[in-house]
Amino acid sequence: MEKTITELPVKAKEKHTKNKKFFAKLKKKPPKNLDYLMQELHKEEFQRTDCLTCANCCKTTGPLFTNADIERIAKHFRLKPQKFIDTYLHLDEENDYVLQGVPCTFLGTDNYCSIYDVRPKACREFPHTNRKKFQQISNLTLKNVAICPAAFNIVEEMKKRVGGI
Ligand code: SF4
Ligand code: SF4
C-alpha cells in the first residue's frame, strides 16, 4: 500500500486533464443510473480496500468539523465545545473549523481512529464516492484521487463504465 500511496499524486496528475474533461461532460449530461453505479463501484472498491493499511486521508488532509461534530466529540471527551475548539481546531480561510495540523491528532500509530464512533461526518463520508449526484463534487473528487487510492480506482472504473458520454 505504501508504494501505491507514494505513486498516487503522480498518477493522479497524469490523469488530471482527462478527468477534468470527463467530469465537465458528466456534469452536463449525467447518465440516469449514475447514483446506482456509484453505489456499486464504491461498494466493490471498498470490499477490496483495507483502509487500516492506508489512512492516507487522516495523515494528509483533515476533515471539516461542523457544529454538530464539535458538540458530539467534545461531549465524548467531557469537554465544553469551546475548550475542544481551543485544544484541537482552528478556523481556516473559509471560516470552517479544521484540525490544527496533520496527521490527525486522533489517528493512532496502528491507523485506527481513536474517536471512530463519534468521528466527524466528513470522515464518515470520505471519499464521497457513493454520494448521490456524484457529478456535483467533481472539483473535490479531482483532489481526492491524489490522496485516496480507492477514489482513484473508483474514478478509473467509472470512466470505463460510463464510456464516452
Ligand atoms: S478512504 Fe481512501 S485514503 Fe482514506 S484510508 Fe481509505 S483508501 Fe486510504
Ligand atoms: S477523526 Fe478519525 S477518521 Fe477523521 S481524520 Fe482523524 S483519525 Fe481520521
Side-chain angles (χ1 to χ4, degrees), residues 66-120:
T66 64
N67 288 339
D69 293 331
I70 291 169
E71 280 184 25
R72 187 177 63 253
I73 304 167
K75 196 171 166 200
H76 169 81
F77 286 118
R78 295 172 200 259
L79 291 174
K80 293 250 186 284
Q82 191 55 50
K83 179 73 185 160
F84 176 77
I85 291 169
D86 294 344
T87 311
Y88 297 108
L89 308 181
H90 78 103
L91 276 174
D92 70 5
E93 54 284 355
E94 278 151 37
N95 240 15
D96 289 314
Y97 278 114
V98 293
L99 290 165
Q100 288 174 3
V102 285
C104 176
T105 186
F106 305 116
L107 182 70
T109 48
D110 53 4
N111 283 347
Y112 275 88
C113 170
S114 62
I115 57 164
Y116 191 77
D117 289 343
V118 290
R119 69 198 186 284

Side-chain angles (χ1 to χ4, degrees), residues 1 5 46 49-52 54-58 126-127 147-151:
M1 183 56 101
I5 295 168
F46 278 95
T49 304
D50 179 5
C51 285
L52 289 173
C54 174
N56 201 38
C57 45
C58 312
F126 190 85
I147 296 166
C148 172

Side-chain angles (χ1 to χ4, degrees), residues 1-25:
M1 183 56 101
E2 223 161 278
K3 189 167 175 267
T4 308
I5 295 168
T6 314
E7 289 172 356
L8 197 57
V10 176
K11 279 171 69 183
K13 205 174 169 192
E14 282 167 9
K15 303 273 182 191
H16 186 79
T17 308
K18 267 196 178 164
N19 283 354
K20 217 173 155 182
K21 277 189 192 156
F22 174 82
F23 277 118
K25 280 190 194 168

Side-chain angles (χ1 to χ4, degrees), residues 119-135:
R119 69 198 186 284
K121 182 171 179 275
C123 300
R124 262 184 279 138
E125 294 178 353
F126 190 85
H128 314 284
T129 36
N130 59 347
R131 66 154 263 171
K132 288 194 172 145
K133 299 195 186 350
F134 182 66
Q135 73 279 9

